[in-house]
Amino acid sequence: MIASGSRYVALGSSFAAGPGINPIVHPPAGRSGNNYAHLVAAELGLELTDVTYSGATTAHLLDTPQDDAPPQLEALTPDTALVTITVGGNDLEYVGTFQRGSFLNTVAKPATILGRRVANRIRARVSYLKAEASYQAVADSLTTVVERARDRSPEARVLLVDYLSLVGPATRPRLDVPLNEEQLPSVAMMADGLAGAFAKAAAATGADLVAASAASLDHAVGTADPWTTGFTLRPPSLGGFVPYHPNAAGMRAVAGLILEVLRT
């Protein structure tokens, strides 16, 4: 168990930051005061440094600034006791692919010449399948992130927290998400590849794996108790939500999974 008062640094992308979950404590990053890092820190009495940032890739953790934010690993110090890492989905354009495909099927109807042009532009950017090398590249990058985190914080316990599942066995094409019977399984295959990359990196480094993907399959979009949002065209400023991202219940669930790992 991590001692109360210890330093905790949270790294990652939007699935760690929590865009759309009130209160938003850092608008440029879409960072919520109720994301899993804040919930874990409050439960254990930890000193939290949360540098999660929506849109982050593994490069933004390793060596590439994002907007005005330095590479996230720079937040780590020798006295850091706990590090959580949720990143890699944007390397694959996982959620972006899901969003573009849903937008295409919802709005860009090719009934007119203009509609066909819009549909073709979006379709050209939507690729539901990735080569195995793409997933291996994410696994390799996650491995490097863990190794460099340990270089900066040798005494820290490092947890790889993978992505909540967006689709599961109960998610219905066309009814729960605006994807057809061919597109939806392809998105699920991308999710499996991303989860596999986390598992490979955990095995390669000995980092703890928090398998939120597996734990959330029965809480995907279309279930009675979803841990992620569905699709909408309405922005949060107009009463909508951030599509295909963790909701408040999902963040609480991930925090619970992390606490379970830390307590065992």
Side-chain angles (χ1 to χ4, degrees), residues 48 89 114 234 259:
L48 174 64
L114 178 60
R234 182 179 297 176
L259 291 169

Side-chain angles (χ1 to χ4, degrees), residues 9 35 42 76 135 166:
V9 178
N35 62 20
L76 298 179
Y135 300 113
L166 293 167

Side-chain angles (χ1 to χ4, degrees), residues 73-121:
L73 281 172
E74 292 187 10
L76 298 179
T77 55
D79 65 340
T80 300
L82 175 64
V83 180
T84 55
I85 301 165
T86 301
V87 74
N90 291 319
D91 295 49
L92 299 168
E93 294 191 317
Y94 166 51
V95 175
T97 295
F98 202 177
Q99 290 174 337
R100 288 193 295 271
S102 297
F103 177 82
L104 172 63
N105 291 345
T106 302
V107 173
K109 305 295 184 181
T112 64
I113 292 176
L114 178 60
R116 284 194 293 273
R117 288 175 179 171
V118 172
N120 288 337
R121 283 198 196 100

Side-chain angles (χ1 to χ4, degrees), residues 10-13 51-53 55-66 69-76 83-88 91 141-142 144-146 148-149 152 160 163:
L11 313 175
S13 63
V51 292
T52 59
Y53 211 107
T57 65
T58 52
H60 291 125
L61 270 66
L62 291 167
D63 53 28
T64 303
Q66 187 176 6
Q72 292 184 26
L73 281 172
E74 292 187 10
L76 298 179
V83 180
T84 55
I85 301 165
T86 301
V87 74
D91 295 49
S141 292
L142 286 169
T144 302
V145 169
V146 173
R148 294 193 184 174
R152 297 182 67 93
L160 285 167
Y163 283 61

Side-chain angles (χ1 to χ4, degrees), residues 1-257:
M1 176 62 71
I2 307 297
S4 177
S6 298
R7 188 163 191 263
Y8 166 25
V9 178
L11 313 175
S13 63
S14 57
F15 269 56
I21 301 173
N22 289 325
I24 298 298
V25 296
H26 190 287
R31 189 181 305 143
S32 170
N34 276 321
N35 62 20
Y36 71 67
H38 280 80
L39 298 177
V40 169
E43 177 68 20
L44 298 181
L46 305 180
E47 179 188 333
L48 174 64
T49 298
D50 184 358
V51 292
T52 59
Y53 211 107
S54 297
T57 65
T58 52
H60 291 125
L61 270 66
L62 291 167
D63 53 28
T64 303
Q66 187 176 6
D67 297 333
D68 294 329
Q72 292 184 26
L73 281 172
E74 292 187 10
L76 298 179
T77 55
D79 65 340
T80 300
L82 175 64
V83 180
T84 55
I85 301 165
T86 301
V87 74
N90 291 319
D91 295 49
L92 299 168
E93 294 191 317
Y94 166 51
V95 175
T97 295
F98 202 177
Q99 290 174 337
R100 288 193 295 271
S102 297
F103 177 82
L104 172 63
N105 291 345
T106 302
V107 173
K109 305 295 184 181
T112 64
I113 292 176
L114 178 60
R116 284 194 293 273
R117 288 175 179 171
V118 172
N120 288 337
R121 283 198 196 100
I122 299 175
R123 187 175 290 111
R125 296 180 60 201
V126 176
S127 176
Y128 292 94
L129 298 177
K130 299 289 183 181
E132 179 58 33
S134 297
Y135 300 113
Q136 185 60 52
V138 173
D140 293 342
S141 292
L142 286 169
T143 297
T144 302
V145 169
V146 173
E147 292 171 345
R148 294 193 184 174
R150 286 183 171 148
D151 288 342
R152 297 182 67 93
S153 304
E155 303 301 320
R157 187 167 182 183
V158 180
L159 275 60
L160 285 167
V161 184
D162 74 3
Y163 283 61
L164 286 168
S165 292
L166 293 167
V167 302
T171 307
R172 299 167 297 176
R174 302 182 190 277
L175 296 176
D176 297 323
V177 294
L179 298 180
N180 62 35
E181 292 80 357
E182 294 179 355
Q183 295 167 328
L184 187 60
S186 299
V187 172
M189 289 175 64
M190 288 182 66
D192 288 344
L194 180 57
F198 272 82
K200 285 183 178 180
T205 61
D208 291 294
L209 176 63
V210 180
S213 57
S216 57
L217 281 172
D218 292 333
H219 296 274
V221 177
T223 61
D225 181 25
W227 290 351
T228 54
T229 59
F231 183 70
T232 183
L233 294 173
R234 182 179 297 176
S237 60
L238 296 178
F241 49 82
V242 179
Y244 300 141
H245 275 77
N247 58 24
M251 282 298 181
R252 289 193 297 270
V254 175
L257 294 171

